[in-house]
Amino acid sequence: IDVISIRLWFDKTITTRTPANVFSRFEELRGAGGTFFMLDQLQEGNEEALWGGDDVQGSVVACDFYNSGALMSLSDEDLTDILTKVLLPSAVPQFSQATLVDSWVAKYPGTVSWFSPGSYTSRPPLEGAGNILPNVKCAGDWVRMGDREHGAKGLCQERAFVSGLEAANSLMKSTKDQGDIVELAQVLPVREDEAQFKLGVEINKAVMKNVPRFWVR
């Protein structure tokens, strides 16, 4: 599926309830899914790098549109206008008082995998062919990670990143000479789920045990 990635630099620091946020049910999305991340909050202390060494002015926002086929024909200016004049101010009113200093837009047609329900077992394992080809590993949000499974579930950038670290660690261990000491990448676990989410998961499991999964082939 198609993806559009946009980064926005503002002249003011915007305070949001959470640094990671989702757009939903806006006509301007044209059927796409949208997210926005407050990079100045997620990378606090690294603001100078976010501004490329220039003077730090305000918030830096990363926005992504998934399943964005209906938006691909729009110009970069139109896309930034949708964000700065409609979506972001609707989500956080403070954005209406901020001025856009700079922007960057990238379009990626057909770059995100689209899997059908029930296809998990058909996805390749992180270890590839195992001992048959020990120097070949698989990475990406689409791989099965086995005993290295991480809390970043689903098809997402976070899972792709973690799988890359785990694949590199596995490659280092399976190809090193005896006696070699290798420095492995550290993989941080996700924080524990909140109580209400855990309860929802258990209720869903209990219900789905008795519901025929007619939508899974």
Side-chain angles (χ1 to χ4, degrees):
I1 59 178
D2 302 331
V3 174
I4 299 175
S5 183
I6 302 174
R7 185 166 293 192
L8 306 171
W9 288 262
F10 291 94
D11 69 338
K12 294 181 180 178
T13 299
I14 308 299
T15 301
T16 60
R17 187 172 64 86
T18 60
N21 305 273
V22 176
F23 294 121
S24 178
R25 298 184 181 181
F26 286 96
E27 291 184 4
E28 289 78 8
L29 291 173
R30 302 187 184 185
T35 60
F36 70 97
F37 299 89
M38 305 300 296
L39 298 186
D40 52 303
Q41 297 178 28
L42 293 169
Q43 301 182 33
E44 187 176 357
N46 196 41
E47 289 84 358
E48 186 174 344
L50 288 175
W51 283 85
D54 294 338
D55 291 338
V56 176
Q57 297 187 47
S59 288
V60 181
V61 186
C63 306
D64 295 313
F65 295 123
Y66 297 93
N67 190 33
S68 59
L71 298 172
M72 296 292 280
S73 62
L74 297 181
S75 67
D76 292 357
E77 183 179 359
D78 287 339
L79 289 169
T80 56
D81 280 348
I82 288 174
L83 282 166
T84 59
K85 297 179 180 180
V86 181
L87 299 180
L88 288 172
S90 296
V92 183
Q94 278 185 278
F95 275 107
S96 63
Q97 302 171 13
T99 300
L100 185 66
V101 176
D102 198 2
S103 64
W104 172 85
V105 178
K107 299 176 180 178
Y108 304 101
T111 54
V112 174
S113 301
W114 191 5
F115 296 99
S116 61
S119 63
Y120 178 80
T121 55
S122 300
R123 287 152 58 179
L126 182 142
E127 291 294 340
N131 293 331
I132 299 175
L133 289 172
N135 60 336
V136 176
K137 309 297 178 183
C138 298
D141 58 0
W142 56 300
V143 304
R144 290 179 287 129
M145 297 173 64
D147 59 3
R148 294 184 179 85
E149 191 55 74
H150 190 264
K153 303 288 187 180
L155 304 176
C156 60
Q157 298 173 33
E158 294 80 6
R159 182 180 174 81
F161 176 71
V162 168
S163 72
L165 294 179
E166 291 287 12
N169 286 344
S170 179
L171 185 63
M172 292 286 286
K173 288 188 288 187
S174 62
T175 58
K176 72 180 182 68
D177 292 328
Q178 187 174 5
D180 285 350
I181 299 176
V182 297
E183 184 176 349
L184 302 179
Q186 181 183 11
V187 178
L188 301 178
V190 299
R191 67 184 182 185
E192 188 176 357
D193 290 328
E194 296 175 346
Q196 63 269 27
F197 179 82
K198 290 182 178 180
L199 176 61
V201 170
E202 292 304 317
I203 293 174
N204 181 69
K205 285 182 179 179
V207 172
M208 296 308 295
K209 284 181 179 179
N210 301 305
V211 177
R213 298 193 176 191
F214 55 86
W215 61 87
V216 177
R217 294 181 294 177

